[in-house]
Structure formats: structure tokens, C-alpha cells
Amino acid sequence: MKGKAVIPRELANRDVDEALAHYVNEAPVDVALGFIDALEQAYALIGQQPGIGSPRWGHELGLPGLCAWPLTRYPYLVFYVDLPDHVAVWRVLQAQRDVPAGMLAVGLQG
């Protein structure tokens, strides 16, 4: 079964860059590489099964269709929306941070 393309938005790419910079500076290289692997696995899974994510944050933030999926072994959530032709990744945020503030601070309309 062929899945949908998973396309990160600019802010999601920035989130990933910041996470990688943190892991490169604060941990062994294999930790940063593991983060990349976990992210790639999450993207592949949500591309194949977009309905697998939790709609909790979408409900709390009043953003219909927004879902979240946790990375394996890393404290990050992938926030995405299943669109007709692809899955749009809006953010990749640390699970421990104030997620609503992080999501709303950037104005995710459109």
C-alpha cells in the first residue's frame, strides 16, 4: 500500500533543526542520528496511516484535523494534518513544553 507524501512546513523543519542542534551539542552523535531515525519512522507511519495520531491537541486548540504522534525514544511530538493529497507536518515540538503556547505562538492558519 502506497502512503501519502509527508511534507513538513517551514516551522516543522526549524523545530527539527533546533532539536538536532541540541542533540549534537549535548549528546553523543548516535543520539542525534537516533533522533533522525525516529523522525523518519514517524513520518513513514503517519504517511501510511494518517488517522493513527491523537486528535487531543486539535480539540484543545480548536484546530480541527490536527493530530499528534510521539517519536519513539525521544520526547517529541509530530503535529500534522491529513490533507487530501499529502500529510502536512506543522510542528515537531518537545512533549514537555507548553504545547498550546508553542502552537498558537506561530499562528497556524492555512
Side-chain angles (χ1 to χ4, degrees):
M1 174 173 104
K2 184 177 181 195
K4 291 183 178 182
V6 176
I7 303 173
R9 297 176 77 184
E10 182 180 339
L11 283 170
N13 286 330
R14 194 175 313 154
D15 294 335
V16 171
D17 289 345
E18 289 174 8
L20 281 174
H22 168 75
Y23 285 125
V24 166
N25 291 325
E26 302 294 329
V29 172
D30 61 326
V31 174
L33 294 174
F35 176 79
I36 293 169
D37 288 342
L39 186 63
E40 289 176 349
Q41 290 172 9
Y43 283 5
L45 184 61
I46 63 176
Q48 290 292 324
Q49 301 175 36
I52 198 167
S54 169
R56 172 186 167 208
W57 292 111
H59 292 302
E60 286 190 24
L61 297 170
L63 297 168
L66 180 70
C67 293
W69 185 253
L71 293 188
T72 303
R73 299 184 322 270
Y74 291 85
Y76 282 84
L77 296 170
V78 176
F79 291 91
Y80 67 93
V81 175
D82 182 18
L83 299 173
D85 60 340
H86 70 281
V87 175
V89 176
W90 280 7
R91 301 296 306 262
V92 178
L93 299 175
Q94 279 190 325
Q96 295 98 347
R97 74 184 279 183
D98 183 0
V99 171
M103 294 293 287
L104 294 176
V106 297
L108 291 173
Q109 299 84 335

PDB file of all heavy atoms in Angstrom, residues 4-9 12 43 46 65-67 78-91 110:
ATOM      1  N   LYS A   4       0.717   8.429   1.657  1.00  0.00           N
ATOM      2  CA  LYS A   4       0.757   9.820   1.220  1.00  0.00           C
ATOM      3  C   LYS A   4       2.151  10.400   1.466  1.00  0.00           C
ATOM      4  O   LYS A   4       2.862   9.979   2.377  1.00  0.00           O
ATOM      5  CB  LYS A   4      -0.252  10.654   2.014  1.00  0.00           C
ATOM      6  CG  LYS A   4      -1.682  10.344   1.704  1.00  0.00           C
ATOM      7  CD  LYS A   4      -2.572  11.285   2.498  1.00  0.00           C
ATOM      8  CE  LYS A   4      -4.027  11.039   2.164  1.00  0.00           C
ATOM      9  NZ  LYS A   4      -4.901  11.972   2.878  1.00  0.00           N
ATOM     10  N   ALA A   5       2.476  11.408   0.682  1.00  0.00           N
ATOM     11  CA  ALA A   5       3.702  12.153   0.938  1.00  0.00           C
ATOM     12  C   ALA A   5       3.546  12.907   2.258  1.00  0.00           C
ATOM     13  O   ALA A   5       2.472  13.428   2.556  1.00  0.00           O
ATOM     14  CB  ALA A   5       3.966  13.128  -0.202  1.00  0.00           C
ATOM     15  N   VAL A   6       4.605  12.946   3.025  1.00  0.00           N
ATOM     16  CA  VAL A   6       4.629  13.698   4.282  1.00  0.00           C
ATOM     17  C   VAL A   6       5.506  14.920   4.028  1.00  0.00           C
ATOM     18  O   VAL A   6       6.699  14.791   3.744  1.00  0.00           O
ATOM     19  CB  VAL A   6       5.172  12.848   5.439  1.00  0.00           C
ATOM     20  CG1 VAL A   6       5.281  13.668   6.714  1.00  0.00           C
ATOM     21  CG2 VAL A   6       4.274  11.629   5.652  1.00  0.00           C
ATOM     22  N   ILE A   7       4.897  16.094   4.134  1.00  0.00           N
ATOM     23  CA  ILE A   7       5.593  17.337   3.799  1.00  0.00           C
ATOM     24  C   ILE A   7       5.650  18.243   5.026  1.00  0.00           C
ATOM     25  O   ILE A   7       4.631  18.793   5.450  1.00  0.00           O
ATOM     26  CB  ILE A   7       4.895  18.053   2.625  1.00  0.00           C
ATOM     27  CG1 ILE A   7       4.839  17.108   1.415  1.00  0.00           C
ATOM     28  CG2 ILE A   7       5.606  19.361   2.295  1.00  0.00           C
ATOM     29  CD1 ILE A   7       4.039  17.641   0.250  1.00  0.00           C
ATOM     30  N   PRO A   8       6.847  18.396   5.600  1.00  0.00           N
ATOM     31  CA  PRO A   8       6.993  19.305   6.741  1.00  0.00           C
ATOM     32  C   PRO A   8       6.925  20.755   6.282  1.00  0.00           C
ATOM     33  O   PRO A   8       7.494  21.128   5.258  1.00  0.00           O
ATOM     34  CB  PRO A   8       8.383  18.983   7.294  1.00  0.00           C
ATOM     35  CG  PRO A   8       8.845  17.761   6.580  1.00  0.00           C
ATOM     36  CD  PRO A   8       8.059  17.656   5.324  1.00  0.00           C
ATOM     37  N   ARG A   9       6.241  21.559   7.065  1.00  0.00           N
ATOM     38  CA  ARG A   9       6.212  23.004   6.820  1.00  0.00           C
ATOM     39  C   ARG A   9       7.505  23.614   7.345  1.00  0.00           C
ATOM     40  O   ARG A   9       8.285  22.973   8.051  1.00  0.00           O
ATOM     41  CB  ARG A   9       4.997  23.612   7.506  1.00  0.00           C
ATOM     42  CG  ARG A   9       3.682  23.057   6.912  1.00  0.00           C
ATOM     43  CD  ARG A   9       2.490  23.556   7.629  1.00  0.00           C
ATOM     44  NE  ARG A   9       2.230  24.940   7.189  1.00  0.00           N
ATOM     45  CZ  ARG A   9       1.283  25.697   7.690  1.00  0.00           C
ATOM     46  NH1 ARG A   9       0.507  25.237   8.642  1.00  0.00           N
ATOM     47  NH2 ARG A   9       1.100  26.929   7.257  1.00  0.00           N
ATOM     48  N   ALA A  12       8.146  23.287  11.063  1.00  0.00           N
ATOM     49  CA  ALA A  12       8.499  21.923  11.463  1.00  0.00           C
ATOM     50  C   ALA A  12       9.966  21.656  11.161  1.00  0.00           C
ATOM     51  O   ALA A  12      10.685  21.068  11.988  1.00  0.00           O
ATOM     52  CB  ALA A  12       7.604  20.916  10.747  1.00  0.00           C
ATOM     53  N   TYR A  43       7.374   9.793  10.325  1.00  0.00           N
ATOM     54  CA  TYR A  43       6.867  10.319   9.059  1.00  0.00           C
ATOM     55  C   TYR A  43       6.348   9.188   8.177  1.00  0.00           C
ATOM     56  O   TYR A  43       5.289   9.311   7.558  1.00  0.00           O
ATOM     57  CB  TYR A  43       7.950  11.099   8.316  1.00  0.00           C
ATOM     58  CG  TYR A  43       8.234  12.486   8.836  1.00  0.00           C
ATOM     59  CD1 TYR A  43       7.621  13.003   9.985  1.00  0.00           C
ATOM     60  CD2 TYR A  43       9.146  13.304   8.189  1.00  0.00           C
ATOM     61  CE1 TYR A  43       7.900  14.277  10.449  1.00  0.00           C
ATOM     62  CE2 TYR A  43       9.427  14.586   8.644  1.00  0.00           C
ATOM     63  CZ  TYR A  43       8.801  15.064   9.768  1.00  0.00           C
ATOM     64  OH  TYR A  43       9.079  16.335  10.217  1.00  0.00           O
ATOM     65  N   ILE A  46       2.933   7.939   9.708  1.00  0.00           N
ATOM     66  CA  ILE A  46       1.778   8.815   9.509  1.00  0.00           C
ATOM     67  C   ILE A  46       1.453   8.979   8.024  1.00  0.00           C
ATOM     68  O   ILE A  46       0.313   9.262   7.679  1.00  0.00           O
ATOM     69  CB  ILE A  46       1.934  10.178  10.221  1.00  0.00           C
ATOM     70  CG1 ILE A  46       3.088  10.983   9.677  1.00  0.00           C
ATOM     71  CG2 ILE A  46       2.026   9.989  11.722  1.00  0.00           C
ATOM     72  CD1 ILE A  46       3.238  12.373  10.286  1.00  0.00           C
ATOM     73  N   GLY A  65      -8.751  18.593  12.776  1.00  0.00           N
ATOM     74  CA  GLY A  65      -7.882  17.808  11.917  1.00  0.00           C
ATOM     75  C   GLY A  65      -6.444  17.712  12.382  1.00  0.00           C
ATOM     76  O   GLY A  65      -5.674  16.912  11.866  1.00  0.00           O
ATOM     77  N   LEU A  66      -6.057  18.537  13.364  1.00  0.00           N
ATOM     78  CA  LEU A  66      -4.689  18.480  13.871  1.00  0.00           C
ATOM     79  C   LEU A  66      -4.524  17.223  14.720  1.00  0.00           C
ATOM     80  O   LEU A  66      -5.308  16.966  15.634  1.00  0.00           O
ATOM     81  CB  LEU A  66      -4.377  19.712  14.719  1.00  0.00           C
ATOM     82  CG  LEU A  66      -2.958  19.762  15.303  1.00  0.00           C
ATOM     83  CD1 LEU A  66      -1.932  19.986  14.195  1.00  0.00           C
ATOM     84  CD2 LEU A  66      -2.861  20.854  16.352  1.00  0.00           C
ATOM     85  N   CYS A  67      -3.498  16.443  14.415  1.00  0.00           N
ATOM     86  CA  CYS A  67      -3.195  15.223  15.166  1.00  0.00           C
ATOM     87  C   CYS A  67      -1.752  15.285  15.647  1.00  0.00           C
ATOM     88  O   CYS A  67      -0.941  16.052  15.124  1.00  0.00           O
ATOM     89  CB  CYS A  67      -3.378  13.995  14.282  1.00  0.00           C
ATOM     90  SG  CYS A  67      -5.074  13.696  13.798  1.00  0.00           S
ATOM     91  N   VAL A  78       5.063  14.933  16.853  1.00  0.00           N
ATOM     92  CA  VAL A  78       4.901  15.416  15.480  1.00  0.00           C
ATOM     93  C   VAL A  78       3.444  15.844  15.339  1.00  0.00           C
ATOM     94  O   VAL A  78       2.534  15.036  15.513  1.00  0.00           O
ATOM     95  CB  VAL A  78       5.227  14.307  14.453  1.00  0.00           C
ATOM     96  CG1 VAL A  78       4.954  14.787  13.033  1.00  0.00           C
ATOM     97  CG2 VAL A  78       6.667  13.833  14.614  1.00  0.00           C
ATOM     98  N   PHE A  79       3.227  17.126  15.050  1.00  0.00           N
ATOM     99  CA  PHE A  79       1.883  17.668  14.853  1.00  0.00           C
ATOM    100  C   PHE A  79       1.629  17.781  13.359  1.00  0.00           C
ATOM    101  O   PHE A  79       2.428  18.399  12.648  1.00  0.00           O
ATOM    102  CB  PHE A  79       1.751  19.042  15.518  1.00  0.00           C
ATOM    103  CG  PHE A  79       1.790  18.968  17.010  1.00  0.00           C
ATOM    104  CD1 PHE A  79       2.987  19.071  17.696  1.00  0.00           C
ATOM    105  CD2 PHE A  79       0.619  18.781  17.724  1.00  0.00           C
ATOM    106  CE1 PHE A  79       3.023  18.996  19.079  1.00  0.00           C
ATOM    107  CE2 PHE A  79       0.636  18.700  19.106  1.00  0.00           C
ATOM    108  CZ  PHE A  79       1.845  18.802  19.782  1.00  0.00           C
ATOM    109  N   TYR A  80       0.520  17.201  12.920  1.00  0.00           N
ATOM    110  CA  TYR A  80       0.261  17.140  11.488  1.00  0.00           C
ATOM    111  C   TYR A  80      -1.223  17.194  11.182  1.00  0.00           C
ATOM    112  O   TYR A  80      -2.067  16.993  12.065  1.00  0.00           O
ATOM    113  CB  TYR A  80       0.874  15.872  10.895  1.00  0.00           C
ATOM    114  CG  TYR A  80       0.214  14.597  11.364  1.00  0.00           C
ATOM    115  CD1 TYR A  80      -0.819  14.022  10.634  1.00  0.00           C
ATOM    116  CD2 TYR A  80       0.596  13.981  12.544  1.00  0.00           C
ATOM    117  CE1 TYR A  80      -1.442  12.859  11.062  1.00  0.00           C
ATOM    118  CE2 TYR A  80      -0.015  12.823  12.982  1.00  0.00           C
ATOM    119  CZ  TYR A  80      -1.032  12.264  12.234  1.00  0.00           C
ATOM    120  OH  TYR A  80      -1.662  11.119  12.661  1.00  0.00           O
ATOM    121  N   VAL A  81      -1.505  17.465   9.907  1.00  0.00           N
ATOM    122  CA  VAL A  81      -2.874  17.471   9.399  1.00  0.00           C
ATOM    123  C   VAL A  81      -2.903  16.590   8.150  1.00  0.00           C
ATOM    124  O   VAL A  81      -2.043  16.716   7.271  1.00  0.00           O
ATOM    125  CB  VAL A  81      -3.338  18.903   9.055  1.00  0.00           C
ATOM    126  CG1 VAL A  81      -4.717  18.892   8.417  1.00  0.00           C
ATOM    127  CG2 VAL A  81      -3.339  19.764  10.305  1.00  0.00           C
ATOM    128  N   ASP A  82      -3.883  15.707   8.094  1.00  0.00           N
ATOM    129  CA  ASP A  82      -4.077  14.843   6.933  1.00  0.00           C
ATOM    130  C   ASP A  82      -4.881  15.610   5.883  1.00  0.00           C
ATOM    131  O   ASP A  82      -6.052  15.906   6.087  1.00  0.00           O
ATOM    132  CB  ASP A  82      -4.817  13.570   7.358  1.00  0.00           C
ATOM    133  CG  ASP A  82      -5.016  12.598   6.215  1.00  0.00           C
ATOM    134  OD1 ASP A  82      -4.319  12.703   5.193  1.00  0.00           O
ATOM    135  OD2 ASP A  82      -5.899  11.716   6.361  1.00  0.00           O
ATOM    136  N   LEU A  83      -4.237  15.949   4.792  1.00  0.00           N
ATOM    137  CA  LEU A  83      -4.892  16.653   3.686  1.00  0.00           C
ATOM    138  C   LEU A  83      -5.183  15.665   2.565  1.00  0.00           C
ATOM    139  O   LEU A  83      -4.656  14.550   2.571  1.00  0.00           O
ATOM    140  CB  LEU A  83      -3.972  17.788   3.203  1.00  0.00           C
ATOM    141  CG  LEU A  83      -3.649  18.846   4.263  1.00  0.00           C
ATOM    142  CD1 LEU A  83      -2.605  19.824   3.749  1.00  0.00           C
ATOM    143  CD2 LEU A  83      -4.901  19.570   4.710  1.00  0.00           C
ATOM    144  N   PRO A  84      -6.027  16.030   1.605  1.00  0.00           N
ATOM    145  CA  PRO A  84      -6.392  15.074   0.556  1.00  0.00           C
ATOM    146  C   PRO A  84      -5.200  14.484  -0.213  1.00  0.00           C
ATOM    147  O   PRO A  84      -5.207  13.297  -0.545  1.00  0.00           O
ATOM    148  CB  PRO A  84      -7.288  15.884  -0.379  1.00  0.00           C
ATOM    149  CG  PRO A  84      -7.881  16.941   0.506  1.00  0.00           C
ATOM    150  CD  PRO A  84      -6.794  17.274   1.493  1.00  0.00           C
ATOM    151  N   ASP A  85      -4.189  15.292  -0.482  1.00  0.00           N
ATOM    152  CA  ASP A  85      -3.093  14.799  -1.315  1.00  0.00           C
ATOM    153  C   ASP A  85      -1.773  14.573  -0.576  1.00  0.00           C
ATOM    154  O   ASP A  85      -0.824  14.054  -1.152  1.00  0.00           O
ATOM    155  CB  ASP A  85      -2.865  15.743  -2.497  1.00  0.00           C
ATOM    156  CG  ASP A  85      -2.511  17.156  -2.045  1.00  0.00           C
ATOM    157  OD1 ASP A  85      -2.795  17.508  -0.885  1.00  0.00           O
ATOM    158  OD2 ASP A  85      -1.953  17.905  -2.864  1.00  0.00           O
ATOM    159  N   HIS A  86      -1.686  14.969   0.700  1.00  0.00           N
ATOM    160  CA  HIS A  86      -0.470  14.753   1.478  1.00  0.00           C
ATOM    161  C   HIS A  86      -0.753  14.961   2.964  1.00  0.00           C
ATOM    162  O   HIS A  86      -1.841  15.389   3.337  1.00  0.00           O
ATOM    163  CB  HIS A  86       0.662  15.680   1.014  1.00  0.00           C
ATOM    164  CG  HIS A  86       0.449  17.124   1.348  1.00  0.00           C
ATOM    165  ND1 HIS A  86      -0.385  17.952   0.626  1.00  0.00           N
ATOM    166  CD2 HIS A  86       0.973  17.895   2.341  1.00  0.00           C
ATOM    167  CE1 HIS A  86      -0.363  19.167   1.151  1.00  0.00           C
ATOM    168  NE2 HIS A  86       0.441  19.159   2.198  1.00  0.00           N
ATOM    169  N   VAL A  87       0.238  14.639   3.761  1.00  0.00           N
ATOM    170  CA  VAL A  87       0.181  14.903   5.199  1.00  0.00           C
ATOM    171  C   VAL A  87       1.103  16.085   5.455  1.00  0.00           C
ATOM    172  O   VAL A  87       2.295  16.045   5.126  1.00  0.00           O
ATOM    173  CB  VAL A  87       0.623  13.677   6.018  1.00  0.00           C
ATOM    174  CG1 VAL A  87       0.673  14.011   7.500  1.00  0.00           C
ATOM    175  CG2 VAL A  87      -0.300  12.491   5.767  1.00  0.00           C
ATOM    176  N   ALA A  88       0.549  17.161   6.015  1.00  0.00           N
ATOM    177  CA  ALA A  88       1.325  18.366   6.307  1.00  0.00           C
ATOM    178  C   ALA A  88       1.775  18.330   7.767  1.00  0.00           C
ATOM    179  O   ALA A  88       0.939  18.289   8.669  1.00  0.00           O
ATOM    180  CB  ALA A  88       0.496  19.616   6.044  1.00  0.00           C
ATOM    181  N   VAL A  89       3.077  18.329   7.981  1.00  0.00           N
ATOM    182  CA  VAL A  89       3.623  18.378   9.337  1.00  0.00           C
ATOM    183  C   VAL A  89       3.773  19.846   9.712  1.00  0.00           C
ATOM    184  O   VAL A  89       4.512  20.584   9.068  1.00  0.00           O
ATOM    185  CB  VAL A  89       4.977  17.647   9.431  1.00  0.00           C
ATOM    186  CG1 VAL A  89       5.566  17.797  10.831  1.00  0.00           C
ATOM    187  CG2 VAL A  89       4.808  16.180   9.075  1.00  0.00           C
ATOM    188  N   TRP A  90       3.039  20.263  10.745  1.00  0.00           N
ATOM    189  CA  TRP A  90       3.051  21.659  11.170  1.00  0.00           C
ATOM    190  C   TRP A  90       4.194  21.947  12.119  1.00  0.00           C
ATOM    191  O   TRP A  90       4.843  22.966  12.022  1.00  0.00           O
ATOM    192  CB  TRP A  90       1.727  22.025  11.820  1.00  0.00           C
ATOM    193  CG  TRP A  90       0.633  22.312  10.842  1.00  0.00           C
ATOM    194  CD1 TRP A  90       0.682  22.150   9.482  1.00  0.00           C
ATOM    195  CD2 TRP A  90      -0.654  22.814  11.129  1.00  0.00           C
ATOM    196  NE1 TRP A  90      -0.510  22.519   8.928  1.00  0.00           N
ATOM    197  CE2 TRP A  90      -1.351  22.939   9.918  1.00  0.00           C
ATOM    198  CE3 TRP A  90      -1.288  23.171  12.309  1.00  0.00           C
ATOM    199  CZ2 TRP A  90      -2.642  23.413   9.849  1.00  0.00           C
ATOM    200  CZ3 TRP A  90      -2.589  23.635  12.239  1.00  0.00           C
ATOM    201  CH2 TRP A  90      -3.256  23.755  11.008  1.00  0.00           C
ATOM    202  N   ARG A  91       4.387  21.093  13.112  1.00  0.00           N
ATOM    203  CA  ARG A  91       5.425  21.324  14.113  1.00  0.00           C
ATOM    204  C   ARG A  91       5.977  19.984  14.584  1.00  0.00           C
ATOM    205  O   ARG A  91       5.311  18.956  14.497  1.00  0.00           O
ATOM    206  CB  ARG A  91       4.876  22.065  15.348  1.00  0.00           C
ATOM    207  CG  ARG A  91       4.256  23.420  15.135  1.00  0.00           C
ATOM    208  CD  ARG A  91       5.185  24.497  14.637  1.00  0.00           C
ATOM    209  NE  ARG A  91       6.388  24.709  15.416  1.00  0.00           N
ATOM    210  CZ  ARG A  91       6.547  25.662  16.331  1.00  0.00           C
ATOM    211  NH1 ARG A  91       5.553  26.467  16.626  1.00  0.00           N
ATOM    212  NH2 ARG A  91       7.700  25.794  16.960  1.00  0.00           N
ATOM    213  N   GLY A 110      -3.915  28.159   7.808  1.00  0.00           N
ATOM    214  CA  GLY A 110      -3.508  27.905   6.428  1.00  0.00           C
ATOM    215  C   GLY A 110      -2.345  27.031   6.251  1.00  0.00           C
ATOM    216  O   GLY A 110      -1.545  26.670   6.944  1.00  0.00           O
TER     217      GLY A 110
END
